[in-house]
């Protein structure tokens, strides 16, 4: 009898954003004439950079000729892109990586979801809380997260990040096998200092813990002191795998390209204590279950690193960060306690009068026709918060803030 | 201590095609002036169809404007493509599917590798032998394949396909939980009749077996009697998941797009015997670990279904099938026993004088400077065979045949 992987049955039915979409659609069905503004899902709205568009056209023209046609690319990605990454994202920060430590992918969601395949099914995991749901859900699917009780998984250590601790997670008081960190943080928009990040690397080295470090939002960092990569910390290449994405950096949510760094020095152990480097294992995983990213998307990504590309991408990031600034000012003016938004495109706001996340979400949807993301959807410590994203157009963002203001005045 | 998933360590170090590339590169390093022709890896060589190129340009131009910009698409793919698939690939064969039974992906390799996540880790699997290595390797990585002895995995049933049985696999004499079938077959290029396929569906229904049916090469079928989809067989939608690819249909190996059909009626059981539909589980898997296929690739795929696109794609398939015809004639004229090549772009040839696959591969590489794929790389029953692909240009193919002829005459 074909048996189902029953770990799937432990999962809540819906992915968070599918849940939100459902509720928004229900509202729209009842109010077909109302124009709802979403500051909910972290999706960008501004067009691709001209340098990127040009690269896509050029790649398409190549594919139209026998000479320029490219079939299967390397599963790990083309050297032209891997080299551009090393040269632009790492060398200027003093980080020396080899080309074959870079794996191009179709976006960070795939790799942050798949990376757990490299460790044993019974390893324990730790997450800062609230957190991007993919980290936990991908572990649930293979049985690693254990069973769920009261919104918590039995084999997951939750490290709360909230106003009380200034969104600085505390090191666990016991050892954990694998820890997920995401900075600048999704969903809170907060960042980690080098000193704090060093504590985590030291913890990992001391406890033989693997760190899966999600740097998807590093391009939004404005403060020079904040690390863009965990490899800015000495020792990190022995214990950390890092995920990057062009989704937010360059508006690639529909183009699909990102990359993962698996240093050759990162290892995990067998039961006998033998150290196994994870770089060849990830390579084997990718060669078996992935056939490389679209050539056109890789050429598009390469264009981000040209002088024009860099300038254009920076302008778009500035555009979104202007939204963030305005949102912070307005929401604070309206009495919201807000966090993040200074080095990240997310603002994490405490709901007024300790309203629950979902209750506030629904009230604002029905009262102001503005969509946010309920914080509790990111984990238990997100209860009583909501996330706003700065990815709207200026006009939409202004209008949304205006509506929230009017709604609260009522 | 972070523990490695030690199932990975059971795998041979290299993926088959990486092994071949290594040997070819070693030859090239020693003979830098020799131009090697590859009829090895199944990668296409002809440019994308003009209709496809036009669609890519158009999609890029949309992405350059605020109004036309598309961010995250649905994880399941855009409706425009799902509808085109239903209308063109299934309805004309009398197969009625719902839109949400179609999942767009970045190529069949990802989904044929990932689909095993839906079943329990201890389900048994069956494969026709020889077979595409991804089916087994992806099961090895999660421990489902058991341990390897003499080139066979302990929890895998191998169903030999060879000259002796006319490449018609026999139904297993015991029950198996999951069976992988691929028709037209990679690597043998042979096909399955409706009558034979019906036996498999009936076996699956009787034994509560899941069939993972890989139809990646269906566009090469020339004979009207050969099924293009397992859903042409009554009852298949209760037991089969089907994989399609644009890689070979339309030269998308570098574009990355395909799709998977998960009918709502397909179920697997819990230990308590409860029937669980797999469609929502696959949906949950995709929403968690995948962020949709590039919008541009999806528009490119849509263009295949326009009248011009259909015509252009058909011409390219005919081009490759002309190669196949010539290869069959020439190789048979040289005394090779050949199979496949009539409804598939692969020719499966018996090595002369019962030479081993790898020995013949090396001899032909060094003697004729032509690369084939050693049959044993696809499984134990592939020993003593090699695979030739028809995906070269006419010129390359002619030259390769010419070289083989001269080499054998020596």
């Amino acid at each position: 009898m074909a048996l189902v992987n029953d770990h799937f049955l432990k999962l809540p039915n819906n992915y968070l954003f599918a849940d939100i979409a459902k509720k928004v659609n229900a509202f729209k069905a009842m109010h077909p004439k109302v124009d709802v503004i979403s500051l909910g899902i972290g999706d960008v709205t501004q067009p691709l950079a001209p340098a990127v568009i040009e690269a896509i056209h050029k790649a398409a023209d190549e594919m139209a000729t026998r000479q320029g046609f490219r079939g299967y690319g390397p599963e790990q990605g083309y050297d032209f892109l891997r080299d551009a990454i090393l040269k632009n994202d790492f060398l200027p920060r003093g980080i020396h990586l080899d080309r074959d430590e870079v794996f191009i992918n179709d976006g960070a969601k795939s790799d942050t979801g798949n990376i757990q395949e490299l460790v044993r099914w019974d390893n324990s995991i730790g997450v800062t809380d609230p957190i991007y749901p993919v980290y936990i859900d991908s572990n649930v699917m293979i049985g690693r997260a254990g069973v769920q009780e009261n919104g918590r998984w039995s084999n997951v250590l939750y490290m709360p990040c909230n106003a009380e601790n200034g969104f600085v997670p505390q090191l666990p008081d016991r050892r954990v096998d694998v820890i997920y960190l995401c900075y600048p943080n999704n969903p809170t928009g907060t960042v980690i200092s080098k000193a704090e990040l060093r504590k985590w690397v030291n913890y990992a080295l001391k406890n033989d813990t693997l760190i899966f470090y999600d740097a998807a939002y590093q391009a939004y960092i404005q403060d020079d002191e904040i690390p863009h990569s965990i490899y800015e910390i000495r020792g990190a290449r022995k214990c950390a795998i890092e995920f990057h994405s062009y989704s937010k950096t360059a508006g690639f949510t529909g183009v699909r390209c990102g990359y993962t760094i698996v240093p050759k020095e990162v290892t995990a152990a067998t039961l006998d204590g033998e150290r196994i480097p994870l770089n060849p294992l990830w390579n084997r995983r990718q060669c078996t279950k992935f056939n490389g990213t679209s050539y056109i998307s890789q050429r598009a990504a390469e264009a981000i690193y040209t002088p024009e590309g860099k300038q254009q991408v920076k302008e778009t990031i500035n555009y979104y960060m202007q939204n963030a600034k305005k949102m912070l000012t307005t929401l604070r003016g309206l009495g919201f306690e807000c966090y993040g938004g200074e080095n990240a495109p997310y603002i994490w706001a405490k709901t007024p009068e300790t309203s629950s996340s979902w209750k506030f979400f629904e009230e604002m949807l029905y009262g102001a026709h503005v969509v946010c993301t309920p914080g509790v959807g990111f984990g238990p410590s997100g209860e009583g918060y909501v996330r706003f994203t700065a990815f709207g157009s200026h006009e939409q963002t202004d209008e949304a803030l205006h509506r929230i203001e009017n709604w609260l005045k009522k």
Side-chain angles (χ1 to χ4, degrees), chain A:
Chain A
M1 184 155 69
L3 291 172
V4 73
N5 171 1
D6 46 14
H7 300 306
F8 269 83
L9 308 181
K10 302 175 192 166
L11 277 171
N13 266 334
N14 276 323
Y15 183 64
L16 170 63
F17 294 104
D19 252 1
I20 292 172
K22 217 161 152 186
K23 285 181 194 283
V24 172
N25 288 338
F27 172 84
K28 283 182 178 170
M30 281 191 294
H31 308 84
K33 287 185 184 163
V34 175
D35 158 47
V36 174
I37 299 180
S38 175
L39 303 180
I41 192 167
D43 197 4
V44 295
T45 56
Q46 299 306 296
L48 294 177
V52 168
I53 298 292
E54 199 186 316
I56 294 174
H57 284 305
K58 200 176 150 212
D61 287 336
E62 285 180 66
M63 298 287 266
T65 66
R66 214 186 254 199
Q67 209 172 358
F69 179 77
R70 307 259 190 153
Y72 288 124
E75 286 94 342
Q76 306 82 1
Y78 279 102
D79 287 347
F80 63 76
L81 182 54
R82 298 168 100 188
D83 289 346
I85 288 165
L86 294 181
K87 193 179 148 193
N88 292 282
D89 288 349
F90 293 98
L91 267 185
R93 303 188 202 289
I95 302 165
H96 295 262
L97 293 166
D98 281 353
R99 187 194 274 166
D100 49 3
E101 293 175 310
V102 184
F103 294 85
I104 310 299
N105 61 31
D106 70 331
K109 191 180 182 189
S110 303
D111 281 7
T112 52
N114 294 331
I115 195 72
Q116 46 77 29
E117 295 178 20
L118 297 190
V119 297
R120 261 176 72 103
W121 71 273
D122 55 357
N123 264 199
S124 60
I125 68 168
V127 294
T128 56
D129 170 35
I131 202 69
Y132 182 45
V134 168
Y135 308 152
I136 292 181
D137 288 1
S138 59
N139 280 289
V140 172
M141 289 176 175
I142 202 165
R144 196 179 290 109
V147 292
Q148 196 180 24
E149 273 173 52
N150 306 320
R152 287 162 189 272
W153 295 90
S154 56
N155 198 32
V156 176
L157 179 77
Y158 294 80
M159 301 175 285
C161 295
N162 50 37
E164 288 68 42
N165 63 17
F167 296 92
V168 177
Q170 297 306 295
L171 292 178
D173 51 11
R174 56 178 170 96
R175 65 165 309 288
V176 179
D177 299 314
V178 175
I179 284 177
Y180 289 83
L181 295 176
C182 172
Y183 287 103
N185 187 254
N186 175 16
T188 68
T190 57
V191 288
I192 194 165
S193 68
K194 272 193 192 170
E196 282 297 324
L197 189 52
R198 192 169 293 121
K199 287 185 196 168
W200 284 100
V201 171
N202 290 340
Y203 169 89
L205 293 173
K206 191 174 150 200
N207 289 282
D208 195 4
T209 296
L210 271 176
I211 297 179
F212 294 156
Y213 193 79
D214 189 346
Y217 297 92
Q218 60 80 26
Y220 290 82
I221 294 172
Q222 311 287 312
D223 179 341
D224 290 343
E225 295 301 308
I226 302 296
H228 287 249
S229 164
I230 196 170
Y231 305 118
E232 294 181 40
I233 310 297
R234 186 186 298 266
R237 51 205 302 160
K238 288 197 173 144
C239 60
I241 289 173
E242 183 167 283
F243 307 93
H244 284 252
S245 164
Y246 298 113
S247 286
K248 313 300 158 85
T249 304
F252 271 35
T253 51
V255 177
R256 312 307 313 141
C257 195
Y259 65 88
T260 296
I261 304 291
V262 188
K264 291 178 190 168
E265 295 166 53
V266 174
T267 60
T270 65
L271 282 179
D272 299 338
E274 191 191 346
R275 307 301 313 186
I276 307 291
L278 296 185
N279 178 290
L281 258 57
W282 183 247
N283 187 55
R284 191 61 164 86
R285 192 267 168 215
Q286 292 299 84
C287 288
T288 301
K289 300 200 205 173
F290 183 60
N291 235 336
T293 305
S294 159
Y295 171 66
I296 295 165
S297 299
Q298 291 190 62
R299 282 293 184 199
E302 183 193 25
I304 300 167
Y305 296 110
T306 59
E308 316 78 59
K310 279 181 191 172
Q311 182 55 33
Q312 292 160 2
V313 161
K314 202 169 147 63
E315 278 165 22
T316 306
I317 287 174
N318 290 343
Y319 179 95
Y320 292 135
M321 290 310 286
Q322 284 163 25
N323 282 341
K325 199 171 179 182
K326 194 177 286 180
M327 289 162 75
L328 268 182
T329 312
T330 308
L331 291 170
R332 279 178 179 152
L334 292 170
F336 284 93
E337 270 182 48
C338 291
Y339 306 91
E342 286 168 357
N343 293 288
Y346 293 130
I347 287 162
W348 189 243
K350 219 165 169 19
T351 59
E353 295 161 14
T354 63
S355 177
S356 84
S357 296
W358 277 110
K359 183 162 178 272
F360 181 80
F361 163 86
E362 296 226 15
E363 285 173 357
M364 193 169 68
L365 171 60
Y366 282 79
H369 312 149
V370 173
V371 177
C372 61
T373 307
V376 71
F378 297 101
S381 297
E383 183 55 286
Y385 292 88
V386 292
R387 188 188 75 174
F388 290 99
T389 90
F391 288 128
S393 67
H394 284 338
E395 298 75 14
Q396 280 177 316
T397 307
D398 289 349
E399 169 66 15
L401 291 173
H402 187 65
R403 289 186 192 176
I404 294 171
E405 199 168 351
N406 284 343
W407 165 57
L408 288 175
K409 278 186 185 157
K410 271 183 198 163

